[in-house]
Amino acid sequence: MAIEKLLLKLSLRDELSAEEEAALRALPEIIKEVPADKTIIRAGEALNDSTLLLEGLMCRYKDLKNGSRQISELHVAGDFVDLHSFTLKRLDHNIMTLTCCRVATVPHARLKRITEEFPHLTRILWFSTNLDAAIHREWVLSLGRRTALARLAHFFCELHVRLGIVGLTDGLSFRLDLTQVDIAECLGLTSIHVNRTLKVLREQGLVELRGGIVEIRDLIGLRRVAEFTDDYLSLERRPR
Amino acid sequence: MAIEKLLLKLSLRDELSAEEEAALRALPEIIKEVPADKTIIRAGEALNDSTLLLEGLMCRYKDLKNGSRQISELHVAGDFVDLHSFTLKRLDHNIMTLTCCRVATVPHARLKRITEEFPHLTRILWFSTNLDAAIHREWVLSLGRRTALARLAHFFCELHVRLGIVGLTDGLSFRLDLTQVDIAECLGLTSIHVNRTLKVLREQGLVELRGGIVEIRDLIGLRRVAEFTDDYLSLERRPR
DNA sequence: CGGTGTGTTGAGCAAGGTCAATCCCCGTGG
DNA sequence: CCACGGGGATTGACCTTGCTCAACACACCG
């Protein structure tokens, strides 16, 4: 039951054979709980395992000397948080938990075996890191060109889809245990401006965020202000 | 002689066996010239080939409805511009030439063969897409948190390293045939502000850009204002 | 009961955007 | 040889978005 959400995420994009599924299930070595706000991987460390997120929210982030922080990706259950460390060996960013999390560690040696014995599964895992890169690109667009309002709207649209894939939405609402500071660090804004912008979204009847619950009031409208389309999330099942 | 720069780029990061090198050399199907300012791949198209850039500058970009454009990555000679389309099948962005380019097309079928027969080479190619993602993350940091001055400085630092790897720098200077509009589209700024910021960099004795030539006057100083470190470019040779 | 972390709001400020004019270089055609 | 035109660079004047600083509210927790 551990890696069900990873299977959901991958099998949405391509068919997994029984052997491939078994190979995936055999990946985790250790499963553990990590409390919120723990940096579990630091930039530059030599790594021998990748981390699979089973439950909770994590992020990748970088800091500047003046103390400002930028989150480069948010991870939800089912995300193979640092699968890219398998080929990179050292990460260029830190990884931390935002909420209490359940994670599995996957030795790189096991991933290497997969590349030697399961070419199709290898392509699927490769795909999954390319999907992370596609998300990065969409964030680049948000940070470079979208207004604060559109950026925040886009953020909620993306999470609505990504959480929906792994069964963590309830129609138009979902749990999102982030502080306004966390959100600001995703969006390249200050928490104060996030606060004001949330107010505008609320007043326009688009979304509300209260007590860690996001309720989308008008999905069409929200997607319109965000100029959100889900193409970049590769939501199609096709041979990879 | 076609793919020498790709070999330079990859063999800096890991050792390539003779068979692997031969397999890479066998990848290109067609080699062609493309004039400047041609969009060669559009978001959403079904793709059967990947493009390898042999000479020139290309970029990945996305547009918003209001006409603004964001470039999400700049590609230099030796870059496997859309290797990620091998697993994604459709891209989330457009790809265009910024200067006149020489490109090779590589059928996905040949890449698939590599994943079936050359696991180590597969990991190296996988690595190279993960390197693109690392560059995306650094841009996310720039766009989200760096000032215009630091952003521009960082941009030059990155290109200095990346062009150096493939032998396209001459000490502290290199050719960069981009307009200020192109640069602005990379950095999430307006071309007017790029112009003013270039002036500041020039006045501070850090870099000059004139007639398509970048001359770094003070590399240490430039890297300091950019808070540039090259870790994210994985400049180490190690087994992948 | 006080402390700490988070959210909310106001007032003023600054980085970067917008609009517009001018310049410069260079290629083209008469 | 020179007038003309177009793309890119440069600069000024003014404006807007989002930041900074500060105060305060509220909840939770030891």
Side-chain angles (χ1 to χ4, degrees):
Chain A
M1 87 161 328
I3 65 155
E4 299 317 313
K5 288 190 165 54
L6 173 65
L7 295 176
L8 275 174
K9 178 182 163 179
L10 296 182
S11 60
L12 178 70
R13 275 63 176 239
D14 193 1
E15 201 157 334
L16 290 169
S17 72
E19 297 76 42
E20 287 168 344
E21 185 178 323
L24 285 172
R25 288 189 187 280
L27 283 179
E29 185 178 51
I30 303 167
I31 293 184
K32 59 187 172 192
E33 294 250 332
V34 185
D37 289 310
K38 285 267 170 275
T39 291
I40 62 161
I41 295 172
R42 298 214 168 263
E45 285 174 3
L47 298 171
N48 298 307
D49 309 276
S50 286
T51 303
L52 175 56
L53 179 55
L54 305 175
E55 219 180 298
L57 287 174
M58 297 183 60
C59 71
R60 314 182 181 182
Y61 71 94
K62 299 192 185 198
D63 291 330
L64 289 182
K65 292 215 182 92
N66 67 6
S68 62
R69 171 169 298 180
Q70 180 63 44
I71 293 177
S72 57
E73 193 172 355
L74 208 57
H75 286 291
V76 305
D79 282 354
F80 221 136
V81 178
D82 70 332
L83 178 53
H84 55 311
S85 75
F86 170 54
T87 66
L88 293 177
K89 303 306 176 193
R90 297 171 189 276
L91 292 186
D92 52 294
H93 56 267
N94 310 296
I95 295 186
M96 70 180 285
T97 56
L98 292 169
T99 66
C100 176
C101 290
R102 234 160 39 91
V103 302
T105 58
V106 174
H108 285 169
R110 297 188 186 179
L111 292 167
K112 191 174 175 196
R113 288 281 307 269
I114 287 190
T115 65
E116 286 158 354
E117 294 171 17
F118 297 93
H120 175 246
L121 185 52
T122 300
R123 294 195 296 273
I124 290 180
L125 292 176
W126 186 352
F127 161 84
S128 111
T129 63
N130 288 341
L131 180 54
D132 285 325
I135 292 170
H136 291 338
R137 286 189 289 275
E138 194 65 32
W139 284 36
V140 165
L141 175 60
S142 275
L143 292 167
R145 294 300 182 203
R146 283 194 249 255
T147 63
L149 192 73
R151 234 180 271 185
L152 193 49
H154 193 278
F155 181 74
F156 288 129
C157 290
E158 176 179 311
L159 285 172
H160 181 240
V161 172
R162 290 174 60 193
L163 289 168
I165 290 168
V166 290
L168 293 176
T169 52
D170 176 13
L172 289 177
S173 88
F174 53 90
R175 167 151 286 281
L176 187 72
D177 274 314
L178 294 179
T179 65
Q180 294 183 357
V181 172
D182 297 329
I183 298 174
E185 288 171 351
C186 290
L187 301 181
L189 300 170
T190 57
S191 65
I192 295 169
H193 201 62
V194 166
N195 183 288
R196 294 190 225 271
T197 309
L198 280 170
K199 189 176 171 184
V200 175
L201 285 173
R202 193 185 322 128
E203 286 167 356
Q204 298 193 351
L206 296 170
V207 226
E208 304 200 14
L209 169 58
R210 284 184 342 280
I213 304 285
V214 176
E215 300 211 33
I216 298 177
R217 300 291 181 200
D218 173 4
L219 183 60
I220 309 285
L222 188 69
R223 291 187 165 195
R224 193 178 52 243
V225 319
E227 287 189 38
F228 178 86
T229 53
D230 59 18
D231 341 324
Y232 73 101
L233 296 172
S234 288
L235 303 174
E236 333 166 287
R237 191 166 190 162
R238 49 172 60 243
R240 308 279 170 184
Chain B
M1 88 162 329
I3 65 156
E4 300 315 315
K5 289 190 166 51
L6 173 64
L7 295 177
L8 275 175
K9 178 181 163 179
L10 296 182
S11 60
L12 178 69
R13 275 63 176 238
D14 192 1
E15 201 156 332
L16 290 168
S17 71
E19 297 77 42
E20 287 168 345
E21 184 178 323
L24 284 172
R25 287 188 188 280
L27 282 178
E29 185 178 51
I30 302 167
I31 293 185
K32 61 188 172 192
E33 293 251 334
V34 185
D37 289 310
K38 286 268 170 274
T39 291
I40 62 161
I41 296 172
R42 298 215 167 264
E45 285 175 3
L47 299 171
N48 298 306
D49 309 277
S50 286
T51 301
L52 175 57
L53 179 55
L54 306 175
E55 218 179 297
L57 287 175
M58 298 182 61
C59 72
R60 314 181 181 181
Y61 70 94
K62 299 191 184 198
D63 291 330
L64 289 182
K65 293 217 182 90
N66 68 5
S68 62
R69 169 169 300 180
Q70 180 64 43
I71 293 177
S72 57
E73 192 171 355
L74 208 59
H75 286 291
V76 305
D79 283 355
F80 222 137
V81 178
D82 70 332
L83 179 53
H84 55 312
S85 75
F86 170 54
T87 66
L88 291 176
K89 304 304 177 195
R90 297 172 189 276
L91 292 187
D92 51 294
H93 57 266
N94 309 297
I95 295 186
M96 71 179 285
T97 56
L98 292 169
T99 67
C100 176
C101 290
R102 233 162 38 92
V103 302
T105 57
V106 174
H108 286 170
R110 297 188 186 180
L111 293 167
K112 191 174 175 195
R113 288 280 309 269
I114 287 191
T115 65
E116 285 157 356
E117 295 171 17
F118 296 93
H120 174 247
L121 185 53
T122 300
R123 294 195 296 273
I124 290 180
L125 292 176
W126 186 352
F127 161 83
S128 110
T129 63
N130 288 340
L131 180 55
D132 285 325
I135 293 170
H136 291 338
R137 284 189 290 275
E138 194 65 31
W139 284 36
V140 165
L141 175 61
S142 274
L143 293 167
R145 295 300 183 204
R146 281 194 249 256
T147 63
L149 192 72
R151 234 181 270 185
L152 193 50
H154 193 278
F155 181 73
F156 288 129
C157 290
E158 176 179 310
L159 286 172
H160 180 241
V161 173
R162 289 175 60 194
L163 289 168
I165 291 168
V166 291
L168 292 176
T169 52
D170 176 13
L172 289 177
S173 89
F174 53 91
R175 167 151 286 282
L176 187 73
D177 274 313
L178 294 179
T179 65
Q180 294 184 359
V181 172
D182 296 330
I183 298 174
E185 288 171 353
C186 290
L187 301 182
L189 300 169
T190 58
S191 64
I192 294 168
H193 201 61
V194 166
N195 184 286
R196 294 191 225 270
T197 309
L198 279 170
K199 189 177 171 185
V200 175
L201 286 173
R202 194 184 322 128
E203 286 168 353
Q204 298 194 350
L206 296 170
V207 225
E208 303 200 13
L209 169 58
R210 284 183 342 279
I213 303 285
V214 176
E215 300 212 35
I216 299 179
R217 299 293 181 198
D218 173 4
L219 183 60
I220 309 285
L222 189 68
R223 290 188 165 193
R224 192 178 52 243
V225 319
E227 287 189 38
F228 178 86
T229 53
D230 58 19
D231 341 326
Y232 73 101
L233 296 172
S234 289
L235 303 174
E236 333 167 287
R237 190 164 191 165
R238 48 172 61 242
R240 307 278 170 186

